[in-house]
Amino acid sequence: LGSPIKQVIAAMFGNLGTVNTGMMFGFSAVTIPQLKQPDSFIQITPDQASWIASLSSVATPFGCLLSGSLLDALGRKRTITLSLAPMIIGWYLMSAATAVYMIYIGRLLIGLGSGMLGSPARVYTGEITQPHLRGMLAAVASVGVSLGVSLQYLIGSFLPWYWLAFINGCIPTVAFISAFFLPESPQFLINKGRTEEARAALRKVRGASCDVDDELQDLIDFVNKSAAKNATSEPAKTNVLSEVLKPAALKPFIILALYFLLLQFSGLNPVTFYAVEIIQESGANMNKYAATIILGLVRLGFTVISCILMRRLGRRPMTFMSSVGCGLTMVGLGSYMYMGEQWAAEGKEKSATWIPVLNLFVFMTASTMGYLTVPWVMIGEVYPSKVRGIMGGLTTFVGHFCIFLVVKTFPLFQSISKFGTFIFYGVVSLLATIFFYLFLPETQGRTL
């Protein structure tokens, strides 16, 4: 066995940029309340606030599609390096912003880089690690996202948003510099016929004492077998469309697309993107920034736990935990806010102000159990190998588009009814349980 330390270090630095996705999610939660202050040097309207929150999610799906074509052309390492550039420019542009349009451009660039990085970071991790470490290290990306959210809630509670943006820019900058020292994926080098470079790359991630010849031969055999299979099959391009339209590809795509739509309208990303404002409006007495920091830490801790549990419990039970848990807590939060409006109308003091905060903490715990991890893991499991790349890209595109949809419409829902928005999210999540029970396949332990 190769050195686990070297593989962990390579995977950590390969995935360092994924922290950016979490920072992108959490940034608007602490920035928008600051920009709405009367003394803010950039004044924003509610509509501009919703664009600041949602614009990054517009660019992310296009980044996903772009990186798909770059991965095999440039290689895993170069694609990771390239993906970090728009993030660095975006954060530093926002830290120097003097007008709303500069924040908009920054958010678009960060979203583009985030989308570009998602697939290469995961593919790279899968290809440089040995099977006994692969499962654990594949979860690093999800933990990285939750860490990014927690960092925003923590640092953004103490610093102005432009300093926060500057500090955020430092993380992809470190990732960019460290990417030059990472070895290229041995699998990619073998695909390109660069056997000696692949041997050197394997030695780098396995350690000098590890004999890499057997593993190298396995990689070469795998590539040769794939090439022989492709040579005997019909021309690939004419086949792709017919393969995509087959029930084996189309059915899981529809199920996962609906999964993403339902989980977003269960309130997951509105709570992440607008956390400070939601806690402020919920009627909780707790300090809104302290509550937000704890919310981020709850998300981080339970993301780690859910990655461990997923190996034992399977995809369906984890999803049911999320759909029922998120549904009950959103209905609970909405009901408390309704009571709060009634008490205010009658001139009464609010009572049991711990209820909304508890609801939000339990909501975040429930969402990490399934919603935050299961559909992303299933993208790599449910599609036939011939179309896994293209269908994976399309599903990721839909996933991020759903994030944009729910984050952009949240202020509109709020303008109609604040408590009604959360009750609606809760009802969607509870009804989603029926859909998951009837249609969601269990993929744990199945061969790909």
Side-chain angles (χ1 to χ4, degrees), residues 305-327:
I305 292 167
S306 75
C307 292
I308 298 162
L309 284 178
M310 199 184 294
R311 290 175 62 188
R312 300 188 175 189
L313 294 180
R315 317 301 181 238
R316 278 169 64 89
M318 300 283 282
T319 299
F320 298 149
M321 275 192 214
S322 272
S323 60
V324 175
C326 293

Side-chain angles (χ1 to χ4, degrees), residues 10-72:
M12 289 294 182
F13 280 105
N15 280 281
L16 185 58
T18 62
V19 176
N20 179 82
T21 305
M23 298 191 307
M24 173 183 93
F25 286 171
F27 182 75
S28 61
V30 289
T31 299
I32 289 170
Q34 290 185 28
L35 291 170
K36 284 183 173 177
Q37 293 294 323
D39 59 347
S40 170
F41 65 89
I42 299 176
Q43 289 292 316
I44 58 165
T45 64
D47 185 55
Q48 288 171 326
S50 74
W51 280 114
I52 290 170
S54 62
L55 263 180
S56 55
S57 302
V58 174
T60 305
F62 294 100
C64 297
L65 296 179
L66 182 62
S67 74
S69 54
L70 294 176
L71 256 180
D72 291 323

